[in-house]
């Protein structure tokens, strides 16, 4: 098999936000700084509740000065657009689903057809006749995302001599990296952004000023006391269930919040850092709480 591969991310949708107020509109509501987005830099961000809890996360690409493309999970796209329209008020912006024009892909490589100058900087972006290619804005060493023109998809696969793999490869890569891309939004909505490691994943700006949920987020960051965090779980043997309690030495240290297509748990790390990367025996299973390589808990 060709070592260069692509994966069609069928679970992704693309939203266009355009108009003279597009930049200010996004800046006032999203957790990151829209002014960092330009033709060579894409962004990871989220929309929080007024209390600072997770609602939606997404990638942002600049189509032009007053037009952005937002890549989000298809399962939440309609709800997300509805929520954006609530915030719209009198802003001169147009918000629309543009899935009819684009498909999302994940690539493990970059060659001269993408760009001879492509580099591994977080969020580094180029645009060509095929569409947009950008390094994951959270971690620069995972691979390349693409928002590709539908009419160019067949040409791209042929021109890059790509092997097309199924979504299971993407699930494995991102689960191992501790990224919750495929965890249902409602499984994450009970948690604050800092509990979901969004600060470490470059999803929050503490310099831009106000955004929805900013007050609680800034307060938690200032106190620097994040007692719970989400971690990927490796199931070594047996079976587990959603909301199953994780115990260690007869002490409740967390619970399972997601199983399909990948397993994550919320863990109380305040006194349980020694539980990370160790095998834990549960009632009907053995699991390991994996600490992502990028997460510093010191």
């Amino acid at each position: 098999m060709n070592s260069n591969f692509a994966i069609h991310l069928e679970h992704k949708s693309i939203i266009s936000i355009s108009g003279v107020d597009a930049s200010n509109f996004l800046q006032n509501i999203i957790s990151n700084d829209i002014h960092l987005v330009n033709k060579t830099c894409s962004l990871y961000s989220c929309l929080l509740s007024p209390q600072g809890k997770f609602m939606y996360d997404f990638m942002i690409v600049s189509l032009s000065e007053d037009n952005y493309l937002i890549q989000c999970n298809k399962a939440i796209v309609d709800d997300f657009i509805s929520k954006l329209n609530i915030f719209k008020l009198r802003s001169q912006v147009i918000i629309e689903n543009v899935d009819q024009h684009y498909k999302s892909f994940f690539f493990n490589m970059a060659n001269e057809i993408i760009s001879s100058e492509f580099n591994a900087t977080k969020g580094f972006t180029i645009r060509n006749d095929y569409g947009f290619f950008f390094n994951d804005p959270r971690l620069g060493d995972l691979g390349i995302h693409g928002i590709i023109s539908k009419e160019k998809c067949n040409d791209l696969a042929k021109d890059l001599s790509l092997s097309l793999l199924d979504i299971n490869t993407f699930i494995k890569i991102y689960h191992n990296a501790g990224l919750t891309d495929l965890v249902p939004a409602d499984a994450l909505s009970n948690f604050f952004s800092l509990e979901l490691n969004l600060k470490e994943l470059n999803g929050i700006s503490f310099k831009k000023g106000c955004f929805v949920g900013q007050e609680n987020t800034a307060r938690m960051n200032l106190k620097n006391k994040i007692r719970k965090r989400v971690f990927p779980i490796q199931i070594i043997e047996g079976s587990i269930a959603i909301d199953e309690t994780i115990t260690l030495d007869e002490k409740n240290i967390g619970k399972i919040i997601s199983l399909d297509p990948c397993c994550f748990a919320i863990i109380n790390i305040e006194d349980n850092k020694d539980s990370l990367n160790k095998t834990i025996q549960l009632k009907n299973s053995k699991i390991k709480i994996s600490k992502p390589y990028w997460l510093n808990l010191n």
Side-chain angles (χ1 to χ4, degrees):
M1 182 180 69
N2 191 328
S3 60
N4 294 332
F5 67 78
I7 300 167
H8 180 201
L9 303 181
E10 297 184 53
H11 66 288
K12 296 290 187 182
S13 279
I14 307 297
I15 299 170
S16 168
I17 298 184
S18 61
V20 295
D21 293 334
S23 180
N24 287 335
F25 168 69
L26 288 170
Q27 185 72 343
N28 288 332
I29 62 173
I30 68 172
S31 64
N32 216 330
D33 189 348
I34 194 63
H35 297 137
L36 298 175
V37 180
N38 56 50
K39 65 179 182 179
T40 61
C41 184
S42 297
L43 197 69
Y44 173 65
S45 187
C46 57
L47 182 64
L48 304 177
S49 73
Q51 295 75 34
K53 291 190 175 183
F54 178 90
M55 293 180 68
Y56 317 109
D57 64 346
F58 42 88
M59 308 289 189
I60 308 176
V61 172
S62 175
L63 186 60
S64 64
E65 183 176 351
D66 298 318
N67 192 348
Y68 300 92
L69 296 180
I70 290 183
Q71 184 193 62
C72 66
N73 281 353
K74 187 170 292 186
I76 58 91
V77 66
D78 292 336
D79 289 340
F80 189 17
I81 290 175
S82 295
K83 182 64 70 175
L84 290 172
N85 278 312
I86 291 173
F87 286 116
K88 177 180 174 181
L89 299 176
R90 297 181 181 179
S91 299
Q92 296 185 51
V93 294
I94 299 171
I95 304 166
E96 55 185 338
N97 186 321
V98 290
D99 282 344
Q100 69 271 28
H101 298 305
Y102 299 101
K103 287 186 178 182
S104 294
F105 285 84
F106 174 78
F107 306 91
N108 70 321
M109 43 59 74
N111 67 11
E112 66 277 2
I113 295 177
I114 292 180
S115 172
S116 59
E117 301 300 322
F118 205 94
N119 64 61
T121 303
K122 297 173 185 177
F124 179 76
T125 304
I126 67 101
R127 182 182 183 183
N128 59 26
D129 290 341
Y130 301 101
F132 297 87
F133 301 85
F134 57 98
N135 261 349
D136 195 304
R138 297 163 293 185
L139 304 169
D141 57 358
L142 285 183
I144 301 164
H145 288 263
I147 298 176
I148 308 301
S149 172
K150 273 193 173 182
E151 62 185 23
K152 291 287 188 178
C153 289
N154 291 335
D155 291 341
L156 178 64
K158 179 180 178 181
D159 293 343
L160 293 181
S161 300
L162 294 170
S163 297
L164 297 177
L165 304 184
D166 64 32
I167 193 65
N168 289 322
T169 300
F170 180 82
I171 292 170
K172 183 177 180 180
I173 292 171
Y174 273 66
H175 182 240
N176 287 342
L179 300 180
T180 58
D181 288 52
L182 291 120
V183 175
D186 59 1
L188 303 175
S189 61
N190 291 324
F191 307 113
F192 293 101
S193 59
L194 301 188
E195 294 174 336
L196 299 177
N197 307 315
L198 297 187
K199 175 184 176 180
E200 290 80 6
L201 292 171
N202 304 301
I204 301 172
S205 170
F206 293 98
K207 298 179 180 180
K208 60 170 279 187
C210 293
F211 56 87
V212 178
Q214 180 265 344
E215 186 175 353
N216 276 349
T217 304
R219 185 183 298 115
M220 289 179 69
N221 184 60
L222 184 63
K223 291 182 177 179
N224 196 30
K225 287 189 176 181
I226 313 303
R227 294 180 174 87
K228 299 183 294 182
R229 287 185 185 267
V230 164
F231 291 92
I233 299 297
Q234 306 292 336
I235 303 173
I236 298 172
E237 65 178 49
S239 61
I240 56 178
I242 295 289
D243 292 330
E244 181 173 350
T245 298
I246 299 174
T247 57
L248 181 65
D249 298 328
E250 299 183 348
K251 182 173 66 172
N252 180 350
I253 67 169
K255 70 175 182 177
I256 302 297
I257 64 168
S258 171
L259 282 180
D260 187 17
C262 45
C263 187
F264 281 83
I266 187 77
I267 302 295
N268 184 336
I269 60 166
E270 197 166 22
D271 300 311
N272 300 299
K273 292 180 182 178
D274 59 350
S275 68
L276 304 179
N277 294 322
K278 289 185 177 180
T279 299
I280 297 175
Q281 178 71 58
L282 300 184
K283 182 178 180 181
N284 297 311
S285 64
K286 287 183 180 178
I287 67 168
K288 182 171 75 171
I289 305 168
S290 299
K291 186 181 85 66
Y293 66 91
W294 45 264
L295 183 58
N296 185 354
L297 297 177
N298 295 328

